[in-house]
């Protein structure tokens, strides 16, 4: 049975889920936050060594870059606005989650399953549901 799955997650360790879905032939699209794909490796190599090390954990080199859609703006605002004392960290986290979902919904197409993590997928899931998709929501918790 051929399934088309769209995975939307702004948490970097969901790359493993995306890789598994791709290896099984199910991944239609992976919507994520800042990540490094094969075409971006040359750009990263021009950055200072400290940035290269930080970005290494965000490499998604095993994924087909045509299936990846990255949302940079949400995380850049989340990290920069508190540093500039323009927003509190809590407000910046809320902005990141809301903006990520707002942008992600534009990349949600007709698919069999839409898989997302709670807090960053309400509008995307509503669009997927309207397209007839099965919705899978992972719940994030802190210990």
């Amino acid at each position: 049975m051929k399934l088309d799955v769209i995975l939307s997650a702004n948490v970097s360790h969901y790359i493993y889920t995306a890789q598994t879905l791709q290896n099984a032939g199910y991944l239609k699209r992976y919507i994520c936050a800042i990540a490094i794909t094969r075409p971006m490796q040359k750009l990263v190599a021009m950055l200072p060594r400290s940035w290269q090390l930080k970005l290494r954990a965000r490499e998604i080199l095993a994924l087909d870059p045509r299936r990846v859609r990255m949302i940079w703006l949400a995380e850049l605002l989340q990290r920069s606005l508190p540093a500039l004392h323009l927003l509190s960290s809590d407000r910046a986290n809320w902005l990141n989650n809301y903006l990520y979902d707002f942008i992600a919904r534009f990349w949600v197409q007709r698919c069999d399953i839409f898989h997302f993590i709670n807090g960053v997928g309400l509008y995307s899931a509503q669009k997927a549901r309207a397209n007839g998709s099965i919705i899978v929501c992972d719940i994030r918790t802190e210990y």
Side-chain angles (χ1 to χ4, degrees), residues 102-131:
F102 180 81
I103 296 169
R105 73 185 173 130
F106 292 104
W107 288 322
V108 173
Q109 301 172 316
R110 184 172 297 280
C111 60
D112 297 310
I113 298 172
F114 177 71
H115 183 175
F116 71 103
I117 56 177
N118 72 314
V120 295
L122 175 64
Y123 301 114
S124 300
Q126 288 173 342
K127 182 175 179 182
R129 172 62 79 197
N131 288 337

Side-chain angles (χ1 to χ4, degrees), residues 71-138:
I71 300 173
W72 290 68
L73 179 61
E75 186 174 349
L76 289 176
L77 290 174
Q78 176 198 21
R79 293 178 180 275
S80 63
L81 294 176
L84 295 170
H85 304 289
L86 296 174
L87 277 182
S88 69
S89 292
D90 288 340
R91 290 278 186 186
N93 289 339
W94 176 87
L95 178 63
N96 175 34
N97 292 343
Y98 179 81
L99 188 57
Y100 175 91
D101 184 28
F102 180 81
I103 296 169
R105 73 185 173 130
F106 292 104
W107 288 322
V108 173
Q109 301 172 316
R110 184 172 297 280
C111 60
D112 297 310
I113 298 172
F114 177 71
H115 183 175
F116 71 103
I117 56 177
N118 72 314
V120 295
L122 175 64
Y123 301 114
S124 300
Q126 288 173 342
K127 182 175 179 182
R129 172 62 79 197
N131 288 337
S133 302
I134 295 170
I135 307 300
V136 175
C137 176
D138 280 348

